[in-house]
Amino acid sequence: MSTIFGKIVDGEIPAHVVYEDETTLAFLDVNPLARGHTLVIPKVEYPRLTDVPPEEAADLYATIHRVVGAVQRAVDADGATVGFNDGAAAGQEVEHVHCHVVPRHAGDGGGPLHDVMGQAADVPDEEFGEIAEGIAAEL
Ligand code: AMP
């Protein structure tokens, strides 16, 4: 395995592991956005979300589901921002799928995921149908 996360899976470099099972691993982000910021990964080094096979995607979600609550309870958070940077254009730096679980506290100064683009896109109402059809056709 070639990325830093692969090396964590293989035990070549240390991490503060909070959960491990056959297919997934969760550990603290070394550069946390908040106390308790945790990453959840599939053990296999899939670069992009769409590369993860359905069974392992289900395993990944099951671990995310467990970790989100545990992280919040452990740091007494009021909520969590949970998400993936999928692809370099979206800010993904480590090419091994990883879900960020960032604990949130009321008044912590952070924004919602909607802040990621700065402002809403200017999409005309009449284009929504065509866009939805295009996505549906790809499913
Ligand atoms: P992304 O920009 O979505 O690819 O996020 C990569 C994340 O991995 C960043 O939040 C880093 O702080 C984190 N990171 C990088 N190296 C390590 C490491 N060795 N252990 C834990 N987290 C790491």
Side-chain angles (χ1 to χ4, degrees):
M1 296 205 181
S2 56
T3 73
I4 194 102
F5 295 166
K7 291 183 171 61
I8 289 174
V9 171
D10 288 345
E12 290 173 29
I13 62 168
H16 290 279
V17 171
V18 301
Y19 178 79
E20 178 171 15
D21 62 24
E22 204 177 316
T23 57
T24 67
L25 187 72
F27 51 95
L28 295 183
D29 193 299
V30 78
N31 234 330
L33 292 172
R35 184 181 168 83
H37 180 173
T38 298
L39 301 173
V40 184
I41 66 170
K43 284 187 171 175
V44 174
E45 191 174 280
Y46 301 110
R48 298 286 296 270
L49 267 177
T50 47
D51 298 324
V52 183
E55 308 78 36
E56 282 164 78
D59 292 349
L60 184 62
Y61 185 78
T63 299
I64 293 166
H65 188 262
R66 293 182 70 155
V67 166
V68 167
V71 165
Q72 290 179 73
R73 290 190 296 275
V75 300
D76 201 20
D78 302 312
T81 294
V82 181
F84 296 83
N85 293 321
D86 186 38
Q92 182 181 358
E93 291 181 353
V94 179
E95 289 191 328
H96 182 148
V97 166
H98 51 282
C99 178
H100 292 265
V101 179
V102 183
R104 299 296 304 271
H105 296 84
D108 63 12
L113 281 174
H114 281 66
D115 282 356
V116 85
M117 299 299 281
Q119 60 184 21
D122 188 16
V123 182
D125 285 352
E126 58 272 22
E127 289 183 19
F128 275 66
E130 183 191 336
I131 294 166
E133 281 169 25
I135 295 170
E138 293 289 338
L139 291 170

